[in-house]
Amino acid sequence: MVKSLRTTVCIGLAIFLLAGCETDEFASPEAIDAMTKPLLQAAMEAQQGADYAKAAGHFRKLHQKLPDDRFVLLGLARNLRYVGAAKEAVRTLERAWPSFAGDSKLMTELGKARLANGNAKNAIVVFKAALEIEPANWDTYSAMGIAYDLMELYVEASKWYLKALEMSPDNPVVLNNMAISAAQSGDLDTAINTLKRASVLARRSPQVRQNLALFYGIRGDFKSAESLARMDLDEEAVRNNLAFYYRFGKENGGQRPKQAPK
């Protein structure tokens, strides 16, 4: 049951582990001029609208024009990772690395790209180096937790998530990742309780709500799962999700619901 649950959570939520709710903390690059500003604005609007493929395309053009700009490099690597082009993100960052050695934010992004590319051990090396430069960055601690999760070292992962919460109390991104970690380890009750807390803190996040819906569905609480699903999904998606939850419970010896999903 635990192995099956772990597989389901990994498949359903892997992208959420690495996406999170990241924001750019860099100042607007001084190199942006009147010619490139519209392209930067288009890239940022696409990223904010979750059109990561379009954002990556805009940032790629900006990077060609401004190969030494760290803001543009971060935007390109991040959006490449979001669209599943982690290998290109790693190559892009490593190729530019001599110009950005010692930049903790770019180091953390490189670690995330390596994670998305399936290289958790090398990601941990980069994260630790980033923390030596910026030891109070919650995002790096949270990413470390993800790395250990992917190595199925859940107790170790929990330590890093708790450290991330010390740096950023009640951070819904960290709580979301902690919940996914708990679910992968087989502790579904803790996962649900943690996500309920996160959903209160991030009321506008459909990602957190639908993660919670997934966990309710896996546990067999179809009423709660359906209620949350209907807040963000269309009717077809709701029906598909409920059917999946029902099949999962049936295949893993869970309780049969009083009424099968329609």
Side-chain angles (χ1 to χ4, degrees):
M1 173 66 175
V2 171
K3 184 176 181 181
S4 182
L5 173 59
R6 182 182 303 145
T7 301
T8 300
V9 172
C10 284
I11 292 173
L13 303 178
I15 189 170
F16 297 148
L17 277 166
L18 297 177
C21 299
E22 298 162 302
T23 57
D24 292 302
E25 298 177 12
F26 296 164
S28 297
E30 295 180 1
I32 296 295
D33 55 23
M35 295 294 292
T36 52
K37 187 175 181 180
L39 189 56
L40 175 63
Q41 290 176 332
M44 296 303 296
E45 288 174 3
Q47 178 177 299
Q48 292 166 3
D51 190 345
Y52 303 124
K54 182 179 290 186
H58 292 324
F59 274 117
R60 188 181 284 110
K61 292 178 182 177
L62 282 167
H63 184 57
Q64 291 170 353
K65 297 175 179 292
L66 305 167
D68 297 325
D69 191 284
R70 65 199 287 267
F71 182 96
V72 170
L73 176 62
L74 178 69
L76 173 58
R78 178 178 293 166
N79 283 280
L80 286 172
R81 174 165 59 85
Y82 286 171
V83 297
K87 185 176 291 186
E88 184 182 350
V90 171
R91 286 199 305 265
T92 299
L93 287 166
E94 290 182 343
R95 186 166 54 243
W97 195 249
S99 301
F100 298 100
D103 188 312
S104 63
K105 288 182 175 61
L106 285 167
M107 293 171 82
T108 296
E109 183 56 41
L110 174 59
K112 290 182 180 182
R114 287 179 173 176
L115 276 184
N117 200 37
N119 198 337
K121 290 185 177 179
N122 281 348
I124 287 173
V125 172
V126 178
F127 291 145
K128 287 183 176 179
L131 287 172
E132 289 182 3
I133 298 168
E134 190 178 358
N137 188 346
W138 69 266
D139 187 34
T140 309
Y141 285 107
S142 184
M144 282 283 280
I146 295 169
Y148 283 108
D149 272 334
L150 295 178
M151 296 168 66
E152 299 185 7
L153 299 173
Y154 304 115
V155 174
E156 185 66 22
S158 178
K159 296 177 183 177
W160 291 96
Y161 291 134
L162 290 173
K163 188 67 176 178
L165 286 178
E166 286 182 23
M167 302 296 108
S168 182
D170 290 330
N171 187 310
V173 174
V174 180
L175 291 171
N176 178 70
N177 291 342
M178 288 182 72
I180 294 171
S181 180
Q184 289 182 99
S185 71
D187 190 351
L188 199 55
D189 288 340
T190 295
I192 288 173
N193 289 334
T194 302
L195 267 188
K196 285 169 68 176
R197 178 182 168 193
S199 66
V200 172
L201 296 165
R203 294 182 184 277
R204 296 183 179 180
S205 173
Q207 180 185 106
V208 172
R209 276 194 300 274
Q210 295 316 308
N211 288 357
L212 182 56
L214 171 61
F215 294 153
Y216 274 131
I218 291 172
R219 192 168 70 176
D221 185 349
F222 295 109
K223 183 177 181 180
S224 295
E226 181 177 6
S227 177
L228 287 167
R230 290 190 182 283
M231 294 178 69
D232 304 297
L233 307 178
D234 59 31
E235 184 63 27
E236 182 180 1
V238 171
R239 290 179 182 275
N240 289 339
N241 285 4
L242 290 174
F244 166 76
Y245 303 149
Y246 174 63
R247 288 197 307 272
F248 179 88
K250 189 175 181 180
E251 291 169 1
N252 291 277
Q255 289 186 335
R256 184 184 181 89
K258 294 180 180 179
Q259 181 178 353
K262 297 178 181 179

